[in-house]
Amino acid sequence: MNVIIRQETPADFETVFKVIKTAFATEEFSDHKEHFLVQRLRNSEAFVPELSLVAVYQDVIVGHILLTKIVIKDTTSQFESLALAPVSVLPDFQGKGIGRQLIECAHSKAKQLGYSSIVLLGHEDYYPRFGYQPLHPFGIRLPFDVPKENCMAVELTENALENVRGTVAYASAFFEDTK
């Protein structure tokens, strides 16, 4: 499917809100509030405008991806990385490679901006095809209790996480629940 991937603009916010809400409406492993999370993240220090991307098909936004800044901390050091949350594609457009295009473009842009890794909480059968590996062998953990097979990371540069250990520190926007 021929889509255009471009940076999200403020004019897209309302449409993206609806795309995310629709994309997650029937997801079993979702709190169905991802659209509110994206709103909060846009207003946080973790937001990187160049890493909020939309997929456009025939002048209609059909998908969105967001990468935001995180830090991986231990008692003596910290390492800057990114979190992928969420990637959304309208149900009628799922299974057509749009999610893949969004993820690959986001990886490329993140690398261009100097980021070397991305962490996510996601489906264990979907993300490994994009290079994501389980997080626990890296010695990195998430700050909440979730199945370890759903905690993953990808190194955008070789061995980026080789000497990184600790707990992911997300932006406070991840934990605010105003809706």
Side-chain angles (χ1 to χ4, degrees), residues 28-118:
E28 180 182 357
F29 299 107
S30 167
D31 66 1
H32 308 289
K33 296 179 181 180
E34 289 82 0
H35 47 299
F36 295 116
L37 172 63
V38 169
Q39 280 186 321
R40 292 190 310 268
L41 286 168
R42 280 191 201 110
N43 295 313
S44 76
E45 291 182 11
F47 186 63
V48 181
E50 298 88 348
L51 298 177
S52 185
L53 307 173
V54 293
V56 181
Y57 177 70
Q58 296 181 348
D59 297 323
V60 176
I61 295 174
V62 298
H64 174 261
I65 191 169
L66 180 62
L67 301 177
T68 53
K69 294 186 276 187
I70 59 168
V71 175
I72 302 167
K73 296 181 181 183
D74 67 12
T75 56
T76 60
S77 63
Q78 63 181 34
F79 177 81
E80 190 173 85
S81 185
L82 294 168
L84 189 164
V87 59
S88 313
V89 177
L90 288 173
D92 289 347
F93 292 88
Q94 292 176 7
K96 300 179 186 300
I98 294 170
R100 174 186 53 78
Q101 290 178 59
L102 282 164
I103 292 168
E104 289 174 353
C105 186
H107 284 186
S108 177
K109 294 227 181 257
K111 192 172 179 179
Q112 289 171 10
L113 291 172
Y115 293 97
S116 61
S117 64
I118 302 170

